[in-house]
């Protein structure tokens, strides 16, 4: 059974940075696309970025380009989300999840195409 555990969330001031981590358990790390998502109170879960663990390709939601960077450490089965220039509207619970669907489907960043959701980590950005 694949499980993810997210960490690194915190309370930060606007303009600050955070690095979120996601550890994968029970996953053949070479065969998946792993994504970061977030859900703010009263809003739908949205996809932010994905990474292919087989070749390192990445894809971002347009509005996240330049501020968020997804990366992975294959030896430690970890995926990271480096966030900078944080804004109050970035306040949300951040999750990672995986998919084995083709890359072109994963780039839709639809949560419906991903599974094995972790419990999430809370990011709060104060103004």
């Amino acid at each position: 059974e694949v499980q993810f555990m997210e960490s690194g969330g915190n309370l930060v001031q606007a303009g600050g940075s955070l690095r979120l981590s996601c550890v994968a358990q029970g996953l053949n790390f070479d065969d998946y696309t792993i994504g970061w998502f977030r859900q703010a109170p009263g809003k739908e879960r949205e996809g932010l970025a994905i990474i292919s663990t087989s070749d390192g390709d990445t894809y971002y939601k347009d509005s996240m380009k330049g501020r968020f960077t997804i990366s992975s450490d294959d030896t430690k089965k970890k995926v990271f989300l480096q966030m900078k220039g944080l804004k109050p509207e970035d306040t949300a619970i951040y999750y990672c999840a995986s998919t084995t669907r083709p890359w072109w489907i994963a780039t839709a960043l639809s949560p419906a195409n991903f599974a094995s959701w972790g419990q999430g980590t809370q990011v709060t950005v104060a103004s």
Side-chain angles (χ1 to χ4, degrees), residues 7 9 15 18 23 32 37 39 45 49 65-67 71 73-75 84 86 94 96 102 109 112 122:
S7 63
L18 277 177
V23 179
Y32 286 81
F37 300 77
Q39 188 165 18
R45 192 167 296 187
K65 292 178 181 178
R67 286 202 307 129
S71 61
D73 181 338
D74 295 354
T75 59
K84 64 180 182 180
L86 285 165
Y94 284 70
C96 56
L109 297 176
Q122 175 71 49

Side-chain angles (χ1 to χ4, degrees), residues 84-104:
K84 64 180 182 180
L86 285 165
K87 308 172 184 178
E89 51 263 44
D90 293 318
T91 294
I93 299 175
Y94 284 70
Y95 303 88
C96 56
S98 63
T99 187
T100 55
R101 295 200 175 192
W103 181 254
W104 67 272

